[in-house]
Amino acid sequence: MTDVTRMTAVQIAALISSGEASAVEVATAHLDRIAAVDDRVHAFLHVDREGALAAARKVDEQRGRGEATGPLAGVPVAVKDVIATKGVPTTAASKILEGWKPPYDATVVERLRAAGTVMLGKTNMDEFAMGSSTEYSAYGPTNNPWDLGRIPGGSGGGSAASVAAYEAPLAIGTDTGGSIRQPGAVTGTVGAKPTYGGTSRYGLIAFSSSLDTPGPCTRTVEDAALLHSVIAGHDVRDSTSIPQPVPDVVAAARLGATGDLTGVKLGIVKEFAGEGAEPGVIAAFRESVETLVKLGAEVVEVSCPHFEFALPAYYLIAPSEASSNLARFDGVRYGLRVGDDGNRSLEEVMSLTREAGFGPEVKRRIILGTYALSSGYYDAYYGQAQKVRTLITRDFTSAFEKVDVLISPTTPFVAFPFGSRTSDPYQMYLADLFTIPTNLYGGPAISVPCGLSEGLPVGFQVMAPTMADDRMYRVAAALESAVGTLTPPEL
């Protein structure tokens, strides 16, 4: 049998369905791969070998009884450690939740289990999803399989790296300002952010509630579409969940894979046409645009004048919501508790717990967000940022009256060396320059590999209107069919 860890999810599912391999054999192969390479990659914070093999045996038993199984039954998946998994450690890569085992599954995890996927474990990330490099994990950084001395993106670097390193064919991430797409871009994988409200946030440890969106990380666009279709859909337990049918993203990806984009209008955002991006990133992007034109697409330049304010608006809105959401980690209900010796007050215990439990980036954002929400400053900062968000939404709405999707590079630069941006938060925040506008708008976007710069992957971003996720899959699959997928060097 060909090395099953190198196969796509579609190929693995076909192998299991045909009886050529059992789900247990597939799970074991991936668990062995993790054991062989994760000491160098550090994509996982927890590997649930026992749970994975039990889930795989269940799929094999169902098949043995002739029961119908879903299109991803038996396919392994890794889950970002910000998503609750019943009985399996869920830490958000923070010391304040070290060892915490949720008593319930997130909706996304429930749907993964119902679909017969096999959860391998929990992946590393920037603490509480705050970061762009996975350097802010309390348990150490994840290394990029393309170059172990470089970052795998963030905050979901562990999920993207697990896929790039062939430890898992599928992974779940969350995207608040680009945390699925930016890691996808720098690891040469596919990362998709669904429409906000298209995937449930129930069981997702909250960072910024009006932005957080679970989504797929994979090696191909079709795999991403299949995983998207499994986890998406209305959930009554999430008040922001959209009560509408999920667009047929799988059919759209398969249509795109035929390489025909006749009649599709692509909008190049004038404000993202290259300013601030590395020359190699711009060259790969422009070459990809030419490729899409050859496939029949029409390219139109559109102006989104308020996109330039997206970064500062995001870094007021997201920290403000984070300062509120993270107030629950107080050493009283669950998680870490420091200084409770019977002599200290509740306030002292809370303060000592948060000082010991939160890392530097989380503290920075809590302070920034608390300040922005404080009396006398709310209207000047948070209120103004929300007005900018409205203007950005109008830019998107206006642009989508002229074109079907918008396109840009996913991130301005390729994977950078560890430590090169941690001393300057603003330089770190620039990693999300091209991804943040979509989060503020709430629409879907996908990053697909489009080439190399300096021997490192470059991502191509496709942005679509809300609840038109199928459009981005069609364009991304067409590009993938023309340029192929990327293969990292052997570890």
Side-chain angles (χ1 to χ4, degrees):
M1 186 173 69
T2 311
D3 183 0
V4 72
T5 63
R6 303 297 170 120
M7 292 181 175
T8 67
V10 170
Q11 291 168 336
I12 291 171
L15 202 69
I16 294 171
S17 180
S18 68
E20 292 178 61
S22 69
V24 168
E25 287 172 330
V26 169
T28 301
H30 285 88
L31 291 165
D32 291 348
R33 172 70 177 173
I34 294 168
V37 304
D38 207 54
D39 59 334
R40 282 161 283 165
V41 178
H42 192 223
F44 284 87
L45 291 179
H46 177 79
V47 178
D48 185 19
R49 187 178 186 92
E50 188 178 312
L53 292 175
R57 280 193 292 272
K58 184 179 177 182
V59 171
D60 288 338
E61 289 166 3
Q62 285 177 318
R63 288 199 66 259
R65 294 193 297 267
E67 295 176 17
T69 54
L72 290 178
V75 180
V77 61
V79 177
K80 188 177 180 180
D81 200 36
V82 74
I83 296 171
T85 43
K86 185 177 181 178
V88 177
T90 302
T91 68
S94 178
K95 291 293 183 184
I96 209 162
L97 279 175
E98 188 169 15
W100 182 60
K101 295 180 180 179
Y104 69 101
D105 276 332
T107 295
V108 165
V109 175
E110 280 184 358
R111 290 176 178 175
L112 288 172
R113 294 194 199 280
T117 62
V118 174
M119 193 183 77
L120 298 170
K122 306 301 287 294
T123 58
N124 198 15
M125 53 183 282
D126 287 295
E127 185 181 4
F128 283 101
M130 298 181 194
S132 302
S133 65
T134 316
E135 290 174 282
Y136 291 120
S137 168
Y139 305 101
T142 294
N143 303 314
N144 192 326
W146 284 82
D147 180 340
L148 297 176
R150 292 177 183 265
I151 60 101
S155 64
S159 286
S162 72
V163 171
Y166 301 105
E167 295 176 301
L170 303 172
I172 296 293
T174 62
D175 198 305
T176 306
S179 292
I180 292 174
R181 290 162 289 154
Q182 186 254 0
V186 300
T187 60
T189 55
V190 176
K193 173 214 171 298
T195 295
Y196 175 79
T199 49
S200 173
R201 290 186 301 109
Y202 178 78
L204 168 62
I205 297 173
F207 161 21
S208 182
S209 302
S210 73
L211 300 166
D212 299 340
T213 309
C217 315
T218 62
R219 289 192 290 271
T220 70
V221 175
E222 185 181 10
D223 282 358
L226 278 165
L227 187 53
H228 183 147
S229 67
V230 164
I231 64 172
H234 183 238
D235 178 17
V236 294
R237 293 175 295 188
D238 176 3
S239 62
T240 58
S241 179
I242 299 172
Q244 288 182 28
V246 181
D248 194 345
V249 293
V250 176
R254 289 170 179 164
L255 174 62
T258 63
D260 183 6
L261 289 180
T262 304
V264 176
K265 287 188 177 181
L266 312 176
I268 293 183
V269 181
K270 187 171 76 172
E271 288 74 13
F272 285 173
E275 191 176 337
E278 291 175 347
V281 170
I282 291 302
F285 172 70
R286 288 178 177 163
E287 196 173 316
S288 298
V289 173
E290 290 172 11
T291 299
L292 293 174
V293 170
K294 289 175 184 173
L295 297 178
E298 179 187 345
V299 175
V300 179
E301 186 178 75
V302 296
S303 178
C304 297
H306 301 99
F307 277 22
E308 65 178 291
F309 304 116
L311 194 71
Y314 173 87
Y315 279 102
L316 285 168
I317 293 169
S320 295
E321 295 183 5
S323 75
S324 175
N325 280 323
L326 269 63
R328 73 193 63 173
F329 301 105
D330 53 12
V332 175
R333 299 171 182 83
Y334 50 82
L336 183 70
R337 182 182 298 175
V338 175
D340 185 14
D341 57 5
N343 298 314
R344 291 187 170 93
S345 68
L346 177 62
E347 288 78 8
E348 287 176 303
V349 171
M350 284 183 184
S351 180
L352 288 168
T353 298
R354 289 165 71 83
E355 165 62 29
F358 289 142
E361 182 64 19
V362 173
K363 290 174 183 172
R364 181 183 294 122
R365 298 201 195 190
I366 288 174
I367 291 167
L368 180 62
T370 304
Y371 180 78
L373 292 175
S374 59
S375 178
Y377 293 102
Y378 182 96
D379 289 333
Y381 292 110
Y382 186 74
Q384 286 293 99
Q386 291 288 17
K387 290 175 184 176
V388 170
R389 185 177 192 171
T390 299
L391 294 174
I392 290 168
T393 298
R394 288 177 185 170
D395 282 353
F396 271 107
T397 303
S398 175
F400 288 132
E401 289 173 358
K402 305 180 187 78
V403 298
D404 296 306
V405 297
L406 297 176
I407 55 175
S408 76
T410 305
T411 188
F413 31 74
V414 294
F416 48 85
F418 285 112
S420 62
R421 293 176 183 262
T422 47
S423 61
D424 186 345
Y426 180 69
Q427 287 301 314
M428 182 73 80
Y429 297 165
L430 284 175
D432 299 327
L433 183 67
F434 298 153
T435 53
I436 280 173
T438 295
N439 293 89
L440 294 175
Y441 161 58
I446 190 170
S447 177
V448 61
C450 68
L452 300 174
S453 172
E454 303 169 32
L456 295 166
V458 176
F460 184 98
Q461 181 177 221
V462 184
M463 299 164 272
T466 53
M467 293 307 288
D469 305 50
D470 50 328
R471 294 189 198 178
M472 71 178 185
Y473 279 103
R474 181 183 176 189
V475 175
L479 180 61
E480 180 184 77
S481 72
V483 303
T485 56
L486 298 179
T487 304
E490 287 295 329
L491 288 168

